[in-house]
Amino acid sequence: AQKITQTQPGMFVQEKEAVTLDCTYDTSDPSYGLFWYKQPSSGEMIFLIYQGSYDQQNATEGRYSLNFQKARKSANLVISASQLGDSAMYFCAMREPDSWGKLQFGAGTQVVVTP
Amino acid sequence: DTAVSQTPKYLVTQMGNDKSIKCEQNLGHDTMYWYKQDSKKFLKIMFSYNNKELIINETVPNRFSPKSPDKAHLNLHINSLELGDSAVYFCASSASDLAKNIQYFGAGTRLSVL
């Protein structure tokens, strides 16, 4: 069963606007980690942001923030002030305990930033 | 200085051939991984090594054999290549003793089997 769900296959956003990428996850473990990665058209996978299940505050890294709603099992990525260089595929991933670090990825959301 | 480097970046080969992909990390990490990204961009783990020991071996054909000569290197050898092996293969590494255990990825190897 799919453990990470990204329901938005693609979206357009105007430059300088904020965009929210949805991610829901499924686990019965109380301890887990959530990650977002960016894959530009050049193909590399770039780590963006991490949220631990016990973290009290939502994670932020520069223009990236994670809207973590534990009860709803959602970990949405918010990109503020979008730039043309933000055009990429974005993947949400989860790591469960006792999984030897294995990341389970969602299907990804393709973001296109327009001028 | 590239943290996780994979070679080659592109690999085009015929069905039935044997090929290898190499991965090296200079981050001092103790755990390395191989992921496969299919044509629909879906990423799935294949293998993981911790301190040269195999710790994850997902349902992968026996034609795929990883080898880790030391903590900084993890290679992937593929025998008798098939059309369905065409994909992008990513190497990643992490420090398993850290709470976040963030995985850092290489640039990927795009394998095309003709």
Side-chain angles (χ1 to χ4, degrees):
Chain A
Q2 186 67 16
K3 293 210 168 194
I4 298 284
T5 303
Q6 295 181 251
T7 56
Q8 306 150 308
M11 52 200 309
F12 287 91
V13 59
Q14 203 135 23
E15 213 176 352
K16 296 179 188 162
E17 288 186 352
V19 60
T20 298
L21 308 184
D22 295 339
C23 174
T24 57
Y25 58 91
D26 181 28
T27 181
S28 55
D29 282 300
S31 174
Y32 49 88
L34 297 160
F35 303 77
W36 278 91
Y37 285 84
K38 172 185 178 181
Q39 187 176 36
S41 56
S42 49
E44 69 269 33
M45 291 285 289
I46 302 166
F47 165 73
L48 294 179
I49 196 165
Y50 165 84
Q51 179 83 43
S53 60
Y54 291 120
D55 293 344
Q56 294 295 317
Q57 293 191 321
N58 287 343
T60 60
E61 290 283 353
R63 293 186 299 110
Y64 303 108
S65 59
L66 203 150
N67 184 0
F68 181 46
Q69 297 187 48
K70 200 167 179 177
R72 297 178 64 184
K73 293 188 176 176
S74 78
N76 299 339
L77 177 71
V78 180
I79 306 173
S80 62
S82 295
Q83 301 171 356
L84 295 177
D86 294 334
S87 293
M89 191 78 153
Y90 289 82
F91 292 96
C92 180
M94 177 175 66
R95 184 190 68 235
E96 293 175 294
D98 301 327
S99 65
W100 292 103
K102 175 170 83 172
L103 287 179
Q104 298 179 75
F105 284 87
T109 296
Q110 181 72 51
V111 172
V112 176
V113 180
T114 58
Chain B
D1 222 13
T2 307
V4 182
S5 59
Q6 293 179 229
T7 53
K9 189 164 170 61
Y10 300 97
L11 192 48
V12 181
T13 188
Q14 301 281 343
M15 269 174 56
N17 284 351
D18 304 339
K19 289 292 177 187
S20 291
I21 307 171
K22 296 189 174 191
C23 179
E24 175 181 2
Q25 54 95 3
N26 63 6
L27 296 167
H29 289 164
D30 61 347
T31 307
M32 296 184 73
Y33 311 80
W34 279 111
Y35 286 85
K36 179 180 179 180
Q37 186 174 42
D38 63 22
S39 58
K40 293 193 164 119
K41 300 276 191 177
F42 188 68
L43 275 147
K44 192 170 175 2
I45 193 159
M46 300 172 70
F47 303 102
S48 175
Y49 273 75
N50 175 263
N51 285 315
K52 302 194 298 174
E53 301 245 352
L54 181 66
I55 55 171
I56 296 176
N57 186 352
E58 294 287 291
T59 311
V60 176
N62 290 340
R63 299 181 295 101
F64 290 80
S65 53
K67 278 192 176 50
S68 181
D70 55 58
K71 278 196 324 183
H73 295 84
L74 179 62
N75 303 322
L76 183 65
H77 188 76
I78 316 169
N79 288 327
S80 304
L81 278 154
E82 300 178 358
L83 293 177
D85 298 332
S86 295
V88 180
Y89 293 85
F90 284 99
C91 176
S93 73
S94 70
S96 65
D97 56 338
L98 297 180
K100 291 184 179 182
N101 198 3
I102 295 166
Q103 290 180 31
Y104 294 93
F105 284 72
T109 296
R110 183 174 294 277
L111 172 64
S112 299
V113 183
L114 307 177

